[in-house]
Amino acid sequence: STGNGTYQGSQGFFRGYPGPITNGDNSVHFDGSSQDISVPYNAALQPSTFSIEGWFKADAVVANCAISCGTFSNPRSGWLIYQTSGTGYELRIYKGGGTAVAANPVGNVTTLPNPSPTVVGVWTHVVATFDGSVAKIYLNGQLSATATPNAPYLPGVSGSLFTMGERTDGGFHWAGNAGEVAYYTNALNATDIAAHYATGITNPAGYSALIQAGNPLLFFHLSEPGDPPASNIGSLGSSVQAAYTSGTTPGIAGPRP
């Protein structure tokens, strides 16, 4: 592969899936067994406060890792987002004390003020935040769960990767589509998160500019062929840009303006 990160999988990615934002962006699909996107360790990707945001469409009722940044051997550091089952996503943040979590808010779309029946087969906007005191998870623009850490949060240590489609250590592969992933050094507030979700639904042409206005470190459309897949348009730019491995297959061109 080339670049600073890799697309993995013996069959490569199936590119060109319709994406969550209907301005022509596409998305990436993970098969749940061998495919992931990985960005190498970068100290800037290990902030003490953060938000991680993306749109995810799960293939099945599973409990696997959609996105992560940390070290998940013993002791564990950093964070991850699991699909909990068929009804939600959960944030786990770690404290460097064995494999135990420091906080674990579990979101559920069926209990939201505007509920959905499932996260399987439908796009779900997922945002997880940690402001140094409270961990939160928002689904479809609405606060779903909060948790107060039982010990100080430990960001990812040297060697920690940022991965999509699996847990960073290569386990718990997730099957589904992902798009518009952004990673920030601050905790987005409820107003901003609701605005991001609403803009994605009602003003897709304005979505990318709105996300970039929040100055994320990473912002991956996960779209092609209009963009090189995993081309970071966040503030860290090409220092955290991923690249295809051999065997990837071009998909259907979307009507990206």
Side-chain angles (χ1 to χ4, degrees), residues 4-125:
N4 297 311
T6 58
Y7 276 72
Q8 299 178 356
S10 59
Q11 301 301 314
F13 284 92
F14 298 96
R15 298 180 282 166
Y17 282 81
I21 308 301
T22 57
N23 63 351
D25 275 359
N26 296 321
S27 64
V28 166
H29 181 262
F30 303 102
D31 64 2
S33 64
S34 62
Q35 298 171 348
D36 69 271
I37 302 169
S38 177
V39 173
Y41 173 78
N42 185 314
L45 299 181
Q46 318 303 328
S48 57
T49 61
F50 65 87
S51 298
I52 180 69
E53 173 175 28
W55 296 74
F56 299 92
K57 184 171 71 172
D59 283 354
V61 178
V62 295
N64 285 332
C65 186
I67 190 165
S68 62
C69 187
T71 298
F72 303 108
S73 55
N74 189 345
R76 291 184 182 176
S77 61
W79 58 265
L80 54 76
I81 294 177
Y82 271 93
Q83 179 190 341
T84 56
S85 61
T87 58
Y89 294 88
E90 65 176 296
L91 170 66
R92 299 182 187 180
I93 66 173
Y94 290 91
K95 55 189 177 183
T99 60
V101 297
N104 181 207
V106 179
N108 188 325
V109 291
T110 67
T111 61
L112 296 175
N114 298 304
S116 299
T118 182
V119 298
V120 177
V122 295
W123 283 108
T124 302
H125 181 241

Side-chain angles (χ1 to χ4, degrees), residues 52-223:
I52 180 69
E53 173 175 28
W55 296 74
F56 299 92
K57 184 171 71 172
D59 283 354
V61 178
V62 295
N64 285 332
C65 186
I67 190 165
S68 62
C69 187
T71 298
F72 303 108
S73 55
N74 189 345
R76 291 184 182 176
S77 61
W79 58 265
L80 54 76
I81 294 177
Y82 271 93
Q83 179 190 341
T84 56
S85 61
T87 58
Y89 294 88
E90 65 176 296
L91 170 66
R92 299 182 187 180
I93 66 173
Y94 290 91
K95 55 189 177 183
T99 60
V101 297
N104 181 207
V106 179
N108 188 325
V109 291
T110 67
T111 61
L112 296 175
N114 298 304
S116 299
T118 182
V119 298
V120 177
V122 295
W123 283 108
T124 302
H125 181 241
V126 181
V127 182
T129 69
F130 180 62
D131 64 3
S133 299
V134 180
K136 301 179 181 180
I137 192 157
Y138 297 77
L139 302 178
N140 292 336
Q142 304 166 75
L143 179 62
S144 183
T146 66
T148 301
N150 58 28
Y153 167 62
L154 179 66
V157 297
S158 180
S160 298
L161 307 181
F162 181 96
T163 58
M164 292 171 267
E166 67 164 17
R167 199 170 72 177
T168 298
D169 58 3
F172 297 92
H173 281 85
W174 179 76
N177 293 62
E180 307 297 328
V181 170
Y183 185 36
Y184 311 78
T185 60
N186 63 297
L188 296 173
N189 63 44
T191 300
D192 289 337
I193 292 166
H196 290 189
Y197 174 70
T199 299
I201 299 299
T202 65
N203 180 27
Y207 186 81
S208 182
L210 179 63
I211 299 305
Q212 288 179 277
N215 197 36
L217 296 174
L218 306 179
F219 183 23
F220 295 118
H221 285 310
L222 303 180
S223 172

